[in-house]
mmCIF file of all heavy atoms in Angstrom:
data_model
loop_
_atom_site.group_PDB
_atom_site.id
_atom_site.type_symbol
_atom_site.label_atom_id
_atom_site.label_comp_id
_atom_site.label_asym_id
_atom_site.label_seq_id
_atom_site.Cartn_x
_atom_site.Cartn_y
_atom_site.Cartn_z
ATOM 1 N N SER W 165 120.217 226.702 184.616
ATOM 2 C CA SER W 165 120.444 226.530 186.048
ATOM 3 C C SER W 165 120.528 225.050 186.434
ATOM 4 O O SER W 165 120.572 224.722 187.610
ATOM 5 C CB SER W 165 119.368 227.232 186.888
ATOM 6 O OG SER W 165 119.846 227.394 188.208
ATOM 7 N N GLY W 226 122.465 220.057 196.279
ATOM 8 C CA GLY W 226 122.731 221.479 196.476
ATOM 9 C C GLY W 226 121.940 222.012 197.661
ATOM 10 O O GLY W 226 122.463 222.728 198.522
ATOM 11 N N ALA W 227 120.657 221.636 197.718
ATOM 12 C CA ALA W 227 119.813 222.157 198.793
ATOM 13 C C ALA W 227 120.328 221.709 200.159
ATOM 14 O O ALA W 227 120.320 222.483 201.123
ATOM 15 C CB ALA W 227 118.371 221.699 198.590
ATOM 16 N N GLU W 230 123.211 223.832 201.071
ATOM 17 C CA GLU W 230 122.768 225.129 201.601
ATOM 18 C C GLU W 230 122.411 224.999 203.074
ATOM 19 O O GLU W 230 122.812 225.827 203.900
ATOM 20 C CB GLU W 230 121.527 225.627 200.850
ATOM 21 C CG GLU W 230 121.770 225.985 199.405
ATOM 22 C CD GLU W 230 120.456 226.133 198.640
ATOM 23 O OE1 GLU W 230 119.406 226.352 199.285
ATOM 24 O OE2 GLU W 230 120.475 226.001 197.411
ATOM 25 N N HIS W 258 117.491 230.972 193.683
ATOM 26 C CA HIS W 258 116.822 229.683 193.565
ATOM 27 C C HIS W 258 115.930 229.499 194.790
ATOM 28 O O HIS W 258 116.327 229.876 195.895
ATOM 29 C CB HIS W 258 117.925 228.610 193.560
ATOM 30 C CG HIS W 258 117.533 227.329 192.918
ATOM 31 N ND1 HIS W 258 116.897 226.338 193.594
ATOM 32 C CD2 HIS W 258 117.715 226.875 191.658
ATOM 33 C CE1 HIS W 258 116.693 225.315 192.781
ATOM 34 N NE2 HIS W 258 117.184 225.613 191.594
ATOM 35 N N THR W 260 115.397 227.112 196.615
ATOM 36 C CA THR W 260 115.951 226.320 197.712
ATOM 37 C C THR W 260 116.628 227.216 198.759
ATOM 38 O O THR W 260 116.720 226.816 199.926
ATOM 39 C CB THR W 260 116.991 225.307 197.196
ATOM 40 O OG1 THR W 260 117.913 225.989 196.350
ATOM 41 C CG2 THR W 260 116.335 224.180 196.436
ATOM 42 N N ASP W 331 126.015 230.556 196.724
ATOM 43 C CA ASP W 331 125.375 229.409 196.085
ATOM 44 C C ASP W 331 126.152 229.172 194.796
ATOM 45 O O ASP W 331 126.034 229.916 193.830
ATOM 46 C CB ASP W 331 123.898 229.727 195.813
ATOM 47 C CG ASP W 331 123.170 228.583 195.109
ATOM 48 O OD1 ASP W 331 123.838 227.782 194.432
ATOM 49 O OD2 ASP W 331 121.940 228.509 195.236
ATOM 50 N N ALA W 333 126.060 226.461 192.861
ATOM 51 C CA ALA W 333 125.518 225.325 192.116
ATOM 52 C C ALA W 333 125.912 225.395 190.648
ATOM 53 O O ALA W 333 126.041 224.379 189.985
ATOM 54 C CB ALA W 333 123.997 225.283 192.257
ATOM 55 N N ASN W 355 127.647 221.910 193.206
ATOM 56 C CA ASN W 355 126.879 220.717 192.863
ATOM 57 C C ASN W 355 127.734 219.796 192.004
ATOM 58 O O ASN W 355 127.986 220.099 190.844
ATOM 59 C CB ASN W 355 125.608 221.102 192.094
ATOM 60 C CG ASN W 355 124.479 221.554 193.001
ATOM 61 O OD1 ASN W 355 124.725 221.994 194.121
ATOM 62 N ND2 ASN W 355 123.264 221.441 192.534
ATOM 63 N N HIS W 357 126.739 217.118 190.833
ATOM 64 C CA HIS W 357 125.848 216.607 189.784
ATOM 65 C C HIS W 357 125.476 217.686 188.776
ATOM 66 O O HIS W 357 124.578 217.495 187.980
ATOM 67 C CB HIS W 357 124.597 215.972 190.400
ATOM 68 C CG HIS W 357 123.917 216.833 191.411
ATOM 69 N ND1 HIS W 357 124.459 217.085 192.635
ATOM 70 C CD2 HIS W 357 122.754 217.515 191.380
ATOM 71 C CE1 HIS W 357 123.646 217.880 193.316
ATOM 72 N NE2 HIS W 357 122.620 218.164 192.573
ATOM 73 N N LYS W 358 126.109 218.812 188.809
ATOM 74 C CA LYS W 358 125.961 219.743 187.698
ATOM 75 C C LYS W 358 127.304 219.856 186.978
ATOM 76 O O LYS W 358 127.433 219.521 185.818
ATOM 77 C CB LYS W 358 125.471 221.103 188.185
ATOM 78 C CG LYS W 358 124.007 221.073 188.554
ATOM 79 C CD LYS W 358 123.462 222.389 189.059
ATOM 80 C CE LYS W 358 121.998 222.200 189.466
ATOM 81 N NZ LYS W 358 121.450 223.375 190.166
HETATM 82 C C1 PLP X 743 120.360 223.442 191.172
HETATM 83 C C2 PLP X 743 120.457 224.589 192.058
HETATM 84 C C3 PLP X 743 120.241 224.460 193.438
HETATM 85 C C4 PLP X 743 119.737 223.200 194.109
HETATM 86 O O1 PLP X 743 120.507 222.064 193.884
HETATM 87 P P1 PLP X 743 119.867 220.609 194.155
HETATM 88 O O2 PLP X 743 121.001 219.665 194.007
HETATM 89 O O3 PLP X 743 118.799 220.433 193.102
HETATM 90 O O4 PLP X 743 119.287 220.600 195.524
HETATM 91 C C5 PLP X 743 120.438 225.570 194.221
HETATM 92 N N1 PLP X 743 120.791 226.748 193.690
HETATM 93 C C6 PLP X 743 120.993 226.910 192.361
HETATM 94 C C7 PLP X 743 121.405 228.256 191.841
HETATM 95 C C8 PLP X 743 120.829 225.838 191.498
HETATM 96 O O5 PLP X 743 121.014 226.008 190.185
#
Side-chain angles (χ1 to χ4, degrees):
S165 198
E230 293 166 21
H258 203 274
T260 49
D331 178 335
N355 279 23
H357 50 289
K358 286 179 183 171

